[in-house]
Amino acid sequence: MSERSVLVTGASGYIGSHTCVCLLQNGWRVIGIDNFSNSSPKVIPRIEQIAQLPMSFHRLDIRDTSALSEILRQEHITAVVHFAGLKSVSESVAKPLDYFDNNVCGSVALLRVLQQEGIRKLVFSSSATVYGEPTSVPVTEEASTSATNPYGRSKLMVEQMLSDLINSDATWRIATLRYFNPVGAHESGLIGEDPRDVPNNLMPFIAQVAVGRRPQLQVFGDDYPTVDGSGVRDYIHVVDLARGHLAALDRLLNHAGSFTVNLGTGRGVSVLQAVAAFEQASGRTIPLQRAARRSGDIATCYASATRATELLGWQAEYGLDKMCADHWRWQHNNPDGY
Ligand code: NAD
Ligand code: UFG
């Protein structure tokens, strides 16, 4: 079998690290790049430890096109998985230019180098945020798109750019993956999500309360039209998400054309249900404080996961209990992160 090589941008990040493990374990040679703006160099040896295989790694900003070209010339890259970017909604409102520069200009820079080097297979990390406030659930890929903040707009802009690129040159094969809410960690407890500041997202916040780093969880909103008044989301185990990238790459290798798919479980879980599951998994009590709705939040969002199954033969395997157990093991073993 000829060796397949994949360039992974954002390789030391939360989703990137889990995907590198999965790629290595499935016969890909992995060349990772990251500027460590939101991750630690300690991640790379842990990826290798889990996979029991080596990977290449270069500390690099994707906007550094000459260094990027140099790497692509040295390595024989079959495809690229593009995670690198900034991801905080609130930070994007405060620093919009950073988000457009990193996420949009960074993607332009990467795509130009790929075009120049004749690499035409790409998997792009998009987000369910592009659905804005869904008019109905489960959300299918045909649902209308919109954005209410600079982060969401940066994802939409890149999606639109990719669509124009495909129209200009049919030899591109691009998988746009719209993630729902990634949570959990590798079951080894060696890699996981390690927010630099106060976590914005639910599961890392719950985990920090459980481990004693924070006194309580604020539950934003108690009067949404949901099962218990709290917000409902589609939480997906990060290892299932990583496997989705493998399936997307396999599709790109074997079929011409491009596609957009949701990666979610198809199941909605409320904040209070997530808290109960985490308490069960950790054996800890999570003190709660009811708080006002968080500005910009929606009541309910979960995926239609049908297209991913039909097109990629992929579906999420892990349920909420395993998401919480694995997230807890990571947090418990690494109370202060990496
Ligand atoms: P993350 O911050 O853990 O990982 C992103 C990585 O990219 C980090 O290691 C960071 O250092 C690196 N990076 C950022 N800008 C870079 C640049 N200019 N050059 C090189 N490296 C750079 O985030 P994540 O949760 O792993 O998310 C990965 C991708 O998935 C992002 O594009 C994000 O927007 C998208 N996404 C994430 C979520 C989520 O909830 N985690 C949901 C939907 C989509
Ligand atoms: N929540 C709380 N307390 C917290 C944090 C969150 O009650 O401290 C609630 C929220 O109100 C929401 C649910 O938990 O009902 C999930 O919130 P997250 O912030 O974890 O996830 P969101 O769905 O709001 O946002 C995430 C990413 C966005 C992305 C979006 C869609 O953070 O970047 O999913 O993919 F755009």
Side-chain angles (χ1 to χ4, degrees):
M1 188 178 76
S2 67
E3 200 176 43
R4 300 164 305 167
S5 299
V6 59
L7 179 81
V8 179
T9 78
S12 46
Y14 173 45
I15 307 170
S17 56
H18 290 82
T19 304
C20 286
V21 168
C22 190
L23 291 165
L24 287 168
Q25 288 174 333
N26 284 277
W28 285 87
R29 197 168 72 88
V30 176
I31 298 94
I33 60 174
D34 203 296
N35 65 1
F36 297 133
S37 58
N38 195 40
S39 56
S40 159
K42 291 181 185 161
V43 175
I44 304 301
R46 294 196 186 191
I47 294 170
E48 296 178 319
Q49 186 184 343
I50 297 169
Q52 289 291 296
L53 286 165
M55 65 179 277
S56 301
F57 182 80
H58 305 265
R59 181 176 193 157
L60 189 78
D61 192 296
I62 52 169
R63 292 162 293 185
D64 183 348
T65 50
S66 54
L68 200 53
S69 297
E70 187 64 35
I71 289 166
L72 293 180
R73 283 194 195 128
Q74 285 164 15
E75 315 277 1
H76 295 277
I77 305 286
T78 315
V80 176
V81 184
H82 176 32
F83 295 105
L86 303 177
K87 64 167 180 175
S88 158
V89 171
S90 55
E91 188 185 51
S92 80
V93 174
K95 300 177 181 172
L97 296 182
D98 285 359
Y99 274 68
F100 292 120
D101 194 14
N102 237 289
N103 295 3
V104 182
C105 301
S107 297
V108 173
L110 174 70
L111 290 164
R112 274 200 188 282
V113 175
L114 298 184
Q115 192 160 48
Q116 180 191 307
E117 301 301 327
I119 299 162
R120 293 282 186 280
K121 296 185 187 71
L122 176 83
V123 179
F124 172 63
S125 298
S126 190
S127 166
T129 196
V130 301
Y131 295 120
E133 172 122 41
T135 46
S136 64
V137 283
V139 189
T140 69
E141 291 83 353
E142 276 83 31
S144 62
T145 56
S146 67
T148 53
N149 58 71
Y151 168 70
R153 260 185 290 283
S154 76
K155 289 291 171 192
L156 260 187
M157 283 179 187
V158 176
E159 282 205 10
Q160 287 159 351
M161 195 166 72
L162 293 175
S163 160
D164 287 338
L165 193 60
I166 294 158
N167 289 338
S168 75
D169 176 354
T171 64
W172 277 98
R173 299 184 184 189
I174 298 180
T176 298
L177 306 182
R178 293 177 175 159
Y179 314 152
F180 280 67
N181 292 59
V183 297
H186 191 268
E187 66 180 0
S188 63
L190 286 169
I191 56 173
E193 187 169 16
D194 181 19
R196 289 227 159 147
D197 303 310
V198 180
N200 290 307
N201 297 117
L202 180 66
M203 192 72 81
F205 203 107
I206 295 177
Q208 291 194 4
V209 174
V211 86
R213 276 173 68 177
R214 304 190 184 277
Q216 64 199 8
L217 172 78
Q218 288 194 311
V219 179
F220 299 138
D222 61 4
D223 57 353
Y224 286 113
T226 61
V227 60
D228 54 26
S230 67
V232 166
R233 296 291 185 275
D234 186 339
Y235 299 96
I236 173 170
H237 197 296
V238 65
V239 173
D240 274 334
L241 197 64
R243 288 177 37 250
H245 293 73
L246 197 71
L249 277 174
D250 282 345
R251 170 92 198 176
L252 293 183
L253 287 190
N254 296 311
H255 295 85
S258 296
F259 56 90
T260 297
V261 295
N262 290 337
L263 292 183
T265 66
R267 286 182 295 277
V269 169
S270 76
V271 173
L272 298 182
Q273 288 167 340
V275 169
F278 205 96
E279 286 184 327
Q280 181 73 33
S282 64
R284 306 275 171 108
T285 302
I286 310 295
L288 302 181
Q289 184 187 50
R290 305 308 290 244
R293 290 182 179 195
R294 184 171 64 177
S295 154
D297 268 3
I298 55 179
T300 300
C301 185
Y302 55 91
S304 161
T306 314
R307 187 187 283 181
T309 305
E310 287 170 0
L311 200 69
L312 307 178
W314 170 93
Q315 63 182 23
E317 286 177 5
Y318 298 138
L320 183 61
D321 293 346
K322 168 121 176 111
M323 298 178 210
C324 293
D326 288 343
H327 204 117
W328 172 241
R329 188 177 307 104
W330 152 253
Q331 185 73 68
H332 187 252
N333 292 356
N334 307 266
D336 299 312
Y338 286 105

